[in-house]
Amino acid sequence: MFHRLRELGLVKGDPLADGDIHAVEIVRAVYGDRVLLRAQLAKFDRATREDLVRTAELAKWERYVINRYRNHVTRDCGKLYVKQVADEIKRYYGVEKTSEVITRIYRLRKRAYNELRRRAK
């Protein structure tokens, strides 16, 4: 969360300055308030809200992988190889093609396929 706050310019650096600590406390209060969260989530349709909850713990490149496989299957475009997706995330996100990343892509692909099967029922 601190990395995202830094990207948004809400906090300046490490260690946090007094003003930055106040900003983090405000963000923590907003994230912890169910009423405010409901108001924010109400802007989205049901499918988007469910997707936000399902992929909350994933990194940006992991969400890309899941969406890539979901979209590929729904468009029925033939085969989408793990090596191809690994090349794409290296190009777009700078994630190196290690054995751990390849294994993670396989798991995310399986997760995407399982979600699509569940929706089809």
Side-chain angles (χ1 to χ4, degrees):
M1 179 170 73
F2 289 110
H3 297 292
R4 182 66 179 148
L5 292 174
R6 197 173 295 127
E7 287 173 5
L8 293 172
L10 296 174
V11 295
K12 302 293 184 257
D14 237 348
L16 297 175
D18 288 340
D20 292 342
I21 291 172
H22 182 67
V24 171
E25 288 173 349
I26 290 171
V27 169
R28 183 177 61 98
V30 168
Y31 270 98
D33 190 305
R34 288 178 180 240
V35 174
L36 293 175
L37 269 173
R38 278 191 196 103
Q40 285 295 316
L41 292 173
K43 297 175 184 178
F44 302 111
D45 61 41
R46 182 180 180 157
T48 303
R49 286 193 307 263
E50 288 174 355
D51 191 48
L52 283 170
V53 170
R54 258 196 310 277
T55 61
E57 80 284 359
L58 300 178
K60 198 172 193 176
W61 70 268
E62 292 171 320
R63 289 191 305 269
Y64 172 83
V65 170
I66 285 182
N67 286 325
R68 185 74 169 89
Y69 279 106
R70 279 186 201 153
N71 293 336
H72 190 79
V73 168
T74 56
R75 292 185 184 134
D76 196 26
C77 302
K79 289 193 175 196
L80 179 59
Y81 296 98
V82 169
K83 183 186 179 313
Q84 179 183 347
V85 174
D87 290 338
E88 291 173 7
I89 63 170
K90 181 176 178 6
R91 182 179 34 222
Y92 299 139
Y93 299 101
V95 176
E96 293 296 324
K97 291 191 298 185
T98 62
S99 61
E100 292 85 13
V101 169
I102 299 296
T103 301
R104 185 70 179 142
I105 293 172
Y106 277 110
R107 288 186 180 140
L108 292 168
R109 179 181 71 175
K110 184 176 182 178
R111 179 176 170 172
Y113 288 164
N114 287 339
E115 286 177 11
L116 289 170
R117 270 190 227 105
R118 250 183 263 121
R119 284 185 192 168
K121 289 183 180 182

